[in-house]
Amino acid sequence: MGKLPVEPPSSEITPEGIYKGRREFLKNAALYVGTSAALGGSLWGLVRGGSRADPPLPAADVPPLKTPAPSATGSVAKSAFSTDEEQTPFRDVTTYNNYYELGLDKSDPAQNAGSLRARPWTVRIEGEVKQALTLDIDTLLGWFALEERVYRMRCVETWSMVIPWLGFPLADLIKKVEPTSRAKYVAFETLYDPKQLPGQKSGVLDWPYVEGLRIDEATNPLTMLAVGLYGKSLPGQNGAPLRLVVPWKYGFKGIKSIVKIKFTEAQPSTTWNMAAASEYGFYANVNPNVDHPRWSQENERRIGDITRRKTLMFNGYAEHVAQLYTGMDLKNNY
Amino acid sequence: MELTQEDVAGVPKKRRTLKPGARPWLQPALVTGAGLPALGISVQGALGKLGANPIAEALNAFGLLALALLVASLGCTPVKMVTGAGWVQPLRRTFGLLGFFYAALHVLLYLAVDQGLALKAIAADVVKRPFITVGMAAFLMLVPLAWTSTQAQMVKLGGARWRKLHKLVYIAVPLGVLHFVLRVKKDLTEPVIFGAIVAVLLGVRAVTAMRKKGAAAG
């Protein structure tokens, strides 16, 4: 048992003022860090809350596509319609999407596409055709040799991409199903299933998404039904398992996840036209001379570029499609 | 504002600026916190992590941050009126200047990068596109407010004139919301939320002003 501890000399006792000051300083420092983190965190959540994840790969229930046989030189035969422009990276093509059925932000569809099941899948063909039929997607895929086509894609929001699609001309399918002479238009419909496409629970657009083409637009050799991109099955966010690609029209004409193709005598309704008729017409041809009421269509940003480039008439496909619109006022038929 | 040992020892009494209940951490914390997204977006932009369309992403983010901070600035007075917390009032200026900072980044990015300083195209946009006309008008209204935000300018202008000038914010912020409404393709959820908050914040002021008038008349 030792002596009782000696009290430290009074010179070593922290004066009360300094003791309190330190506590005050630490308290203020904690409040500073906490408040800045809380404010910074909530603002960050507001603007970057939904930043993109890696795109899910095509679901395992999709059998691999029979890609076109490589030519003797070892490369896939290139379509005469393909552009040589630099292709937009796969990552951008599959993470920057407008597919409101899978979410409104550009990065949402890639994150939510897991709920969309591409098999089993059937496509109903009806209306003004010799015989209406319901086709299994794999039967349909067996009908045509797939070809790769590298197309420009111009969104009405003034951005664009270059995408290597895999698919077949819509004209081939139309020929096969034999529409009647009364078939003046082709109408398309997206799957309606809020479980698989949860965005359909919101009322932002009328569901299901519907689109349409004039029959001569539908049979133009440029128009294709795509089932893949970059040599693989379409990811959900790009419209698995079957979508329309009409490269001289704004991207929203390229209806995704198609379950119905109907031949009609009257011009079919189209979703964006029903949502805002003054802004989105039936034709929706890419046209730098006809502005969107709220923004210019004169130029576009190619994804990957910093500066903008001039938008081309019919998205650069005028030589193939301009004759479809001879004598038409494209300002009124936007 | 950290305390030095000398302060706490209390020798030069008048240098003890911290009154009890003072919040020396508050303004620096708001500046740091509100500045973090600018830093984060710059870093992500430099690393190529802003997605496929980084210019559009940064433009949208800066615009949204500007609006959020300006709305926070408008919120200070009503919060004080409702809770009686007097320390909230001076934050108007802090939030306002932070909002202006992001509005300036937003406009700068649009002019210099998005449009590549193509003056003709910009002029055409400002004249022809209501959403750009409205946005630009809102920004131009904020410039004199930021310029006269210092104590010295307030004194120079005189309280009454300064207050009158700063009423411009009641026009600029709703115009900012309108700019947002006109820009979106279809989904109006976010702009409508902002619009509703601004409406409430301005409504509180309108009601109070009318009551005061009523009280003065009666």
Side-chain angles (χ1 to χ4, degrees), chain A residues 66 136-146 168 176:
Chain A
K66 280 180 276 161
D136 185 79
I137 182 79
D138 292 309
T139 310
L140 180 63
L141 280 170
W143 283 1
F144 310 104
L146 298 182
F168 53 88
K176 184 125 183 161

Side-chain angles (χ1 to χ4, degrees), chain B residues 13-25:
Chain B
K13 188 96 180 169
K14 61 181 173 187
R15 284 190 58 200
R16 290 194 64 175
T17 46
L18 283 183
K19 285 175 271 172
R23 293 175 176 79
W25 48 273

Side-chain angles (χ1 to χ4, degrees), chain B:
Chain B
M1 231 193 271
E2 91 192 55
L3 298 172
T4 64
Q5 192 172 330
E6 199 185 23
D7 283 333
V8 181
V11 187
K13 188 96 180 169
K14 61 181 173 187
R15 284 190 58 200
R16 290 194 64 175
T17 46
L18 283 183
K19 285 175 271 172
R23 293 175 176 79
W25 48 273
L26 184 53
Q27 305 255 3
L30 296 184
V31 174
T32 311
L36 284 174
L39 187 70
I41 287 164
S42 310
V43 169
Q44 284 198 323
L47 295 175
K49 299 264 185 218
L50 274 184
N53 199 346
I55 307 298
E57 183 68 29
L59 261 178
N60 291 345
F62 290 157
L64 202 56
L65 287 163
L67 210 48
L69 290 162
L70 288 169
V71 167
S73 173
L74 275 188
C76 294
T77 302
V79 165
K80 190 218 144 194
M81 279 157 50
V82 172
T83 65
W87 57 274
V88 179
Q89 189 89 4
L91 304 182
R92 275 187 313 179
R93 184 171 82 169
T94 317
F95 280 124
L97 283 171
L98 288 166
F100 177 74
F101 165 71
Y102 279 108
L105 282 182
H106 177 73
V107 171
L108 210 65
L109 195 60
Y110 161 74
L111 295 177
V113 184
D114 187 72
Q115 296 295 314
L117 287 178
L119 296 178
K120 241 179 78 184
I122 294 167
D125 256 4
V126 171
V127 177
K128 267 166 74 181
R129 317 279 159 214
F131 94 94
I132 295 184
T133 317
V134 165
M136 202 56 95
F139 177 69
L140 291 177
M141 285 180 196
L142 292 178
V143 173
L145 304 196
W147 182 255
T148 58
S149 64
T150 62
Q151 199 70 40
Q153 285 285 339
M154 198 175 180
V155 173
K156 199 173 148 193
L157 274 174
R161 276 170 67 202
W162 187 91
R163 267 194 298 278
K164 208 169 176 184
L165 175 66
H166 279 246
K167 287 203 168 121
L168 269 180
V169 78
Y170 304 138
I171 304 171
V173 177
L175 284 182
V177 174
L178 183 59
H179 169 69
F180 194 10
V181 168
L182 289 173
R183 190 205 69 93
V184 297
K185 196 156 136 204
K186 188 70 180 115
D187 181 37
L188 283 171
T189 316
E190 268 188 317
V192 163
I193 292 172
F194 272 100
I197 297 173
V198 170
V200 168
L201 295 180
L202 295 186
V204 171
R205 284 181 172 80
V207 168
T208 319
M210 278 192 301
R211 275 204 191 137
K212 264 188 196 160
K213 252 188 196 164

